[in-house]
Each structure stands twice: as C-alpha cells, then as structure tokens.
Amino acid sequence: MLGYIIKRLIQMLIVLWAVSIIVFLMMSFTGDPVFMVVPIDATDAEIEQARRILGLDRSLPEQYLIFVQNMLQGDFGRSYVFREPALDLILERLPATLELVLVAMAMSALVAIPLGVYAGANPGRFSSRSIMSGSLLGISLPSFWVGMMLIFLFAVKWRIFPSSGRGDTEAFLGVQWSILTADGWSHVILPSLTLSLATMAMLLRITRAGMMEVTRQDYMKFARAKGVSRRGVLYGHGLRNALIPVVTIFGIQLGDLIAFATITETIFAWPGLGKLLIDSIYRADRPVIVVYLMLVAVIFVVINLIVDIVYTLIDPRITVK
Amino acid sequence: MMTAFFSSEFFANYRRNASAIAGSLILVCFFVIVLFGPFLVAQDPYDIAALDLMDSYKPPAWLPGGDPRFPLGTDGQGRDVLAAIFYGTRISVMIGVTAMVCSLMLGTLVGLLAGYFGGRVDAFMMRVADIQLSFPSMLIALFLMSAFGTGIDKVLIALTAVGWVVYARTVRGQTLSEVGREYVQAARVSGLREGKIIGRHILPNVTTPLIVVATVQVGTFILIEASLSFLGVGVPITQPSLGLLIKNGFDVLFSGLWWVSVFPGLFIMALVFGITLFGDFLRDELNPRLK
C-alpha cells in the first residue's frame, strides 16, 4: 500500500510538471503582459525597463526556469489588477468556493442516493420512471440557465432568497464561512442548488444502475431469506456494493463542480475562485490565472489519488499493485 | 435496402421504445430548424434595417401587450426572440456537430496509430490522454478560449482539443484486440501496406462503439459551447449561439423581462434532451454486452 502511494505521488509530480509547462507555454503565447503594467503613455524606454523587471527579455527556457523556481518558493507574482500577491488572492477566495462545492455535493448526494436506490429497487414503477426522466432533464439543462431561472423566481419574483453575494459570514479556524449564519445559508442555497443539479442527475443514474445490478445477486436473496429487513438489505447489502462506481463518479464530479463553479459564481456574484478566474480572464491578469490553474491541478490529482485509495477501503476485493 | 432496415431487429426495438421515438422526433424538429430556420421566420434578426426599436421588449404573443408578429416576444432592439433562436440554434448545432466530427477524426487517427504501432508513441499519447481526462473538459475549454479569444473557429479548436481523447482511447482499445486477429495477419502476410491494413481492415471493425460516443458528445459540446458563450469567451456577438442569447437575456432578467432568456434555454434543453434520449437508445442497441 505504502509503495503504491509513493508511486502515485511520483506520478502526481510528473503530471503537475507537465501542467506547469502547458500553462507556461499557453500564457507566453497570449498577448504581451507588459502593457498590463505600464501606463498607456509609457515611452519605449519605460516599456523596455518593465520588460526587464518582469524578466520578459530572456529566452523562453530561461523564463520557464525562473517561473518554476519562483513557484517552488510559493511566489506566483503579483496580480496586475489588485497589485497583491496572486497566491494570497486565490487563497482568500478558496473557502467561498469550497463551501459552495461542498454544500452542492451534500445536496446532490442526499437527494440522488435515496432516489437512485428507490428507482433501482423498483424499476418498473411509474414513480421510478418519472425519477429517471427527471434526471435526464437534469443532465440536458445548461446549469447557468437553471441558475438564472432560480434567480428570476426566488429572488426577483417571490423575493424569498437573495440573488447575489455571500451574506453574513462567521470566522471559523481563521476563515470566513457563510454556512455558519442563517443569512449566509439563505445566500448559499440558490447557487449550490444550481451547481448540484447536474451532479445530482449523474449520481442518481449511477446509483440506480449499480442497484439494479446488485439486486440480481444471490447474496441479496440470501440476506432477505436470513430475515434482514427490506430496508436493511437495500442499504446494508445493496448500496454498499453499488457504491463503488458512485465513489468514482463522486471524485470526477467534484472536479466538475469546481469547474462549473466558475459559471455559478459569475451568475450569483459569489466571491469565490471561479468568479476571480473569469474576472482575471477578462482583464488578462496572467499571474492569477496561473495560480488558479496550478491550484486546480493540485486539487484534481489529489482527488484522483483519494478516490483510488477509497476504492480499496470500500471494496476489499480490489487490491492495489 | 429500405425494407431490410424496416424489418431489422434494430427498427423493431426502436418502434417499441417510446423514449427513442420521442428523442428522434425532437431531433427531426431541430433538423428542420437547422435546415430551414431562416425561411420559417419573417425577420432576419441580424439585418439592422429589419429591426424597429418601437417593437423592443414586447412580451410573448399570448400575454397582454404581446404582438402576434413576435410569438415569443422581442429583445431590447426589437428583435424577434423566435427568429434569434432559430438562427442561434443553427450556430449551436453547427458548432456541436463540426467539433464532434473533428474530434472523431483526430481521436480515431491517434487511436489507430497508437493501437497498431504501440511502443513509445502509444505510451506517450495515452499518458497525454490520462492527464487530460483528469481535468474537466469545461475547464480545459475555458482555459484554451481565454488564451485564444472569441471566435467560432477557436471554439471548434478548443472543443476538438477536449473531445479527441474519448475516441483515441476507445479506438486504441479496439485496435489492440483486432491486431491479433487472423484477418489482420492474413492481410499482413499477403503483403498489404500498413496504411491499407489500418484503413481498410482495422478501421471498419472499430467504429461501432464510436457512434454512441459521438451522438452523446454533440450534446455535451452544445452545452460547453453555451457555457463558454455565456461567460463571454465563446462565439462573437455577431454570431450569437443559444448560449449567447441567454447571456444577453440575463442582463434584463432583473427587470422582469424573462422571455428573452427563458426560451433560448428551453430550446437548448429540448435539443440536448433529444440527443440524450436517442443516444441512450443507441447505446442499448449497439452494446452487445447488454443483450
């Protein structure tokens, strides 16, 4: 197990290195950042000087080495717009996005898993079929449109929930969280519902497919014959075995949620990573985009590793090599 | 040929499958819109001369203040929402289908070469695929678009860069299992060039699983393109897809003018729903393991 984890960690480093090259190359082919830092009426000499200070007068390999060196020391450069270290900006917004993604994740699991178990255990019923058609609709809907509709109905028309921002926050472990206050919750519900729909639909379909396969197995009949209650069989024996694909999807979806949070945050003006990324793209704020991409890459490789390890914990039949 | 199709098992299963019929009916409607859309509406929404500011922000025809000329209402420039949707649908579908075809061709080529020749090229291509698959397509596309700037051609490049991986993996797997078969060895022994073996003998035997992937991918691509355009890094304002129409409607949503954004969204939903229904049917039909 330990050997496996070490091997995976080395693989992770290689992936991150590849990502750093791609990010660096893409960034150096898009526009000239010098014009982001010099005033509009700068003379040629001033532009040259700015270029030297930013290190842009060196060759690409040299620039890449400096880029990696700085990165390893935690220095990602300063945002051209905020004039603050880009890393600080990103870390400041990270909790807002995590909060949104976690609430969305919890929402989709709470709705999707029971419905999926039900639809998988009673495949013929009308209610199961409605659930499945509903989940297909959930996959077909553009999430940003759903968010707009929720804003229109709940914020503009009925005025139940606010349409934007994080609301009141409370500090916990030195970080501000919205989910610790009632006002924060009223702000978090619409965006996380928007974000959760696609995951909910996906999770529901996977859970149902897994359950349908599992209910055919002999051990289900045996457990039932042994006198275990129907509920106990479904959740204790059935769900546990149907859960393996669900865990993979959960991992993949976590990544997707972070990606789609960019859209949700833009609609609901949620001050998280995604909105910062979109704003930075508009303003060509290169250092911030770079930190975002590297951070997201780290998050994704870590999620993939955790998913693979969780596998072996749920299913002792899978052994790592 | 036609009678053979109508008496086939495929068609018999299709006739018994209500959601497959519903899905294909939706797709036929969209096919008509894409082909004949501009002839079905009175106004050319991008001809400035045809727009009248006096017609701006009219609600759908069945509401008080509605105008029968504009069944789904108008936007801020007096543009018929239905006409804009028909034109936008063409752009969305065109992007989805073209990007799918490009990804299909690129991915199949890479998969065939990697599977047939193996070795370092194979190992390298598959590592690239692995790395790419660990990131959500939406994020990769967003990143590429932020580097490229807006434009339909750039959206196509970004989507192809995101989409080739699935085909490459599927085709490579299939090719690996085909390479060992007798017919390939026979072709080799009879002295055929490798290009011919790959193109004439292996390719036809690895394409079936691609049909399902390709169908579903069109839907995914349409949604990704819509999201990119909504974020302002997709198609340019002069060629608005359904996603960009929704974005334009977002700005006036807070004033209660819901129809400008609601209807384009419903069209995307119907389109992707139809594709998914039909794709599900194809998957069940073409996947021999499920039978």
Side-chain angles (χ1 to χ4, degrees):
Chain A
M1 186 73 182
L2 189 69
Y4 171 75
I5 294 181
I6 292 175
K7 200 176 140 202
R8 285 295 304 263
L9 285 176
I10 296 173
Q11 278 178 5
M12 275 168 57
L13 286 180
I14 297 176
V15 170
L16 290 178
W17 173 65
V19 171
S20 80
I21 293 185
I22 297 168
V23 167
F24 173 78
L25 282 181
M26 293 297 295
M27 284 297 137
S28 39
F29 287 127
T30 54
D32 192 342
V34 157
F35 297 103
M36 291 300 303
V37 285
V38 297
I40 297 173
D41 55 351
T43 61
D44 283 352
E46 281 169 328
I47 291 176
E48 269 317 300
Q49 195 194 355
R51 189 159 285 170
R52 249 200 321 279
I53 293 172
L54 290 175
L56 293 171
D57 54 340
R58 296 164 195 256
S59 70
L60 270 187
E62 266 184 283
Q63 281 191 42
Y64 176 71
L65 271 183
I66 297 172
F67 169 74
V68 172
Q69 266 171 14
N70 288 342
M71 211 158 61
L72 291 177
Q73 292 164 2
D75 175 12
F76 289 83
R78 280 167 179 272
S79 155
Y80 299 147
V81 177
F82 297 94
R83 312 272 166 191
E84 274 177 60
L87 187 62
D88 294 0
L89 272 175
I90 291 275
L91 291 181
E92 201 179 291
R93 316 272 169 122
L94 185 61
T97 297
L98 281 185
E99 174 172 85
L100 197 60
V101 166
L102 291 180
V103 176
M105 210 68 184
M107 269 185 179
S108 47
L110 283 179
V111 176
I113 292 182
L115 284 182
V117 170
Y118 175 82
N122 316 287
R125 283 196 203 160
F126 177 73
S127 48
S128 302
R129 287 192 189 171
S130 320
I131 292 174
M132 292 317 288
S133 321
S135 76
L136 257 194
L137 271 182
I139 292 177
S140 314
L141 282 168
S143 62
F144 57 93
W145 184 75
V146 175
M148 289 169 52
M149 293 307 109
L150 290 179
I151 289 185
F152 179 67
L153 293 177
F154 289 94
V156 178
K157 214 161 179 199
W158 299 328
R159 300 179 185 282
I160 303 176
F161 294 116
S163 69
S164 65
R166 273 184 91 180
D168 297 339
T169 54
E170 209 171 291
F172 178 68
L173 298 175
V175 181
Q176 298 291 324
W177 301 96
S178 292
I179 43 175
L180 296 178
T181 66
D183 182 54
W185 266 105
S186 74
H187 281 81
V188 99
I189 280 183
L190 290 188
S192 48
L193 182 63
T194 307
L195 194 56
S196 70
L197 274 185
T199 307
M200 209 182 272
M202 196 67 94
L203 217 55
L204 201 163
R205 298 182 74 79
I206 303 284
T207 312
R208 170 182 172 269
M211 282 306 284
M212 283 183 74
E213 211 168 303
V214 164
T215 42
R216 280 200 294 260
Q217 306 290 328
D218 287 339
Y219 57 74
M220 294 288 280
K221 282 180 207 143
F222 181 75
R224 197 84 181 92
K226 189 173 78 173
V228 182
S229 71
R230 191 173 152 73
R231 240 182 108 94
V233 173
L234 280 183
Y235 283 87
H237 295 76
L239 183 61
R240 187 153 175 205
N241 284 290
L243 213 58
I244 297 160
V246 174
V247 171
T248 331
I249 292 297
F250 227 70
I252 298 173
Q253 288 294 318
L254 198 57
D256 267 10
L257 283 182
I258 294 175
F260 277 97
T262 49
I263 301 168
T264 314
E265 286 176 9
T266 307
I267 302 170
F268 288 93
W270 186 265
L273 282 186
K275 190 169 184 319
L276 181 66
L277 174 74
I278 300 295
D279 291 346
S280 303
I281 288 177
Y282 287 150
R283 300 169 184 150
D285 197 348
R286 206 185 268 187
V288 179
I289 303 178
V290 170
V291 193
Y292 177 88
L293 291 171
M294 291 311 297
L295 178 75
V296 165
V298 171
I299 294 179
F300 287 163
V301 289
V302 171
I303 290 176
N304 284 337
L305 177 65
I306 294 176
V307 165
D308 287 350
I309 293 176
V310 169
Y311 259 178
T312 60
L313 296 182
I314 312 177
D315 189 349
R317 283 171 303 185
I318 301 173
T319 47
V320 289
K321 290 187 196 87
Chain B
M1 164 87 193
M2 274 319 255
T3 46
F5 175 75
F6 283 118
S7 57
S8 68
E9 194 194 340
F10 180 84
F11 186 70
N13 286 341
Y14 170 79
R15 255 191 3 193
R16 267 185 275 123
N17 190 328
S19 50
I21 296 178
S24 49
L25 281 181
I26 296 176
L27 292 185
V28 167
C29 294
F30 275 99
F31 197 63
V32 172
I33 294 178
V34 169
L35 283 185
F36 307 111
F39 307 110
L40 299 176
V41 286
Q43 189 193 55
D44 175 359
Y46 301 104
D47 176 12
I48 307 282
L51 303 181
D52 187 349
L53 274 183
M54 295 297 289
D55 292 331
S56 62
Y57 295 132
K58 285 218 192 301
W62 62 87
L63 290 178
D67 187 323
R69 282 183 303 150
F70 308 113
L72 299 184
T74 59
D75 71 0
Q77 290 159 300
R79 185 173 293 137
D80 182 10
V81 170
L82 185 67
I85 287 176
F86 278 13
Y87 278 73
T89 305
R90 291 185 105 181
I91 295 171
S92 290
V93 171
M94 195 275 283
I95 291 178
V97 172
T98 316
M100 179 274 283
V101 172
C102 295
S103 314
L104 177 69
M105 293 197 300
L106 179 67
T108 308
L109 185 69
V110 171
L112 279 172
L113 295 180
Y116 188 84
F117 293 110
R120 278 209 189 141
V121 182
D122 177 37
F124 177 73
M125 292 321 288
M126 289 307 116
R127 281 295 86 72
V128 172
D130 280 347
I131 294 179
Q132 191 172 330
L133 279 179
S134 61
F135 293 90
S137 338
M138 173 63 206
L139 203 64
I140 301 178
L142 177 65
F143 172 49
L144 290 176
M145 289 311 291
S146 70
F148 295 159
T150 60
I152 287 186
D153 48 340
K154 289 156 188 161
V155 174
L156 289 178
I157 297 174
L159 289 179
T160 307
V162 163
W164 68 277
V165 186
V166 219
Y167 302 105
R169 283 203 146 187
T170 321
V171 170
R172 173 181 173 269
Q174 290 279 110
T175 308
L176 278 179
S177 70
E178 296 295 319
V179 163
R181 298 267 171 91
E182 285 87 353
Y183 75 92
V184 178
Q185 285 168 356
R188 264 198 202 136
V189 171
S190 59
L192 276 186
R193 278 184 301 111
E194 295 194 307
K196 262 204 173 141
I197 299 179
I198 296 177
R200 290 265 178 82
H201 294 274
I202 297 181
L203 180 62
N205 287 301
V206 299
T207 42
T208 316
L210 301 184
I211 301 175
V212 179
V213 181
T215 315
V216 180
Q217 195 179 55
V218 174
T220 319
F221 276 173
I222 289 176
L223 283 180
I224 294 182
E225 181 277 323
S227 308
L228 292 173
S229 298
F230 179 80
L231 289 173
V233 291
V235 296
I237 315 171
T238 46
Q239 288 162 307
S241 63
L242 291 173
L244 196 57
L245 292 179
I246 298 179
K247 176 191 164 65
N248 295 340
F250 184 44
D251 302 333
V252 294
L253 185 69
F254 289 94
S255 335
L257 306 166
W258 52 270
W259 56 89
V260 189
S261 52
V262 167
F263 294 117
L266 288 177
F267 269 76
I268 295 193
M269 185 190 80
L271 178 56
V272 179
F273 190 57
I275 295 174
T276 317
L277 283 180
F278 195 65
D280 271 6
F281 165 71
L282 283 182
R283 188 194 55 212
D284 295 346
E285 276 308 298
L286 299 178
N287 189 344
R289 267 181 304 172
L290 291 176
K291 278 194 180 166

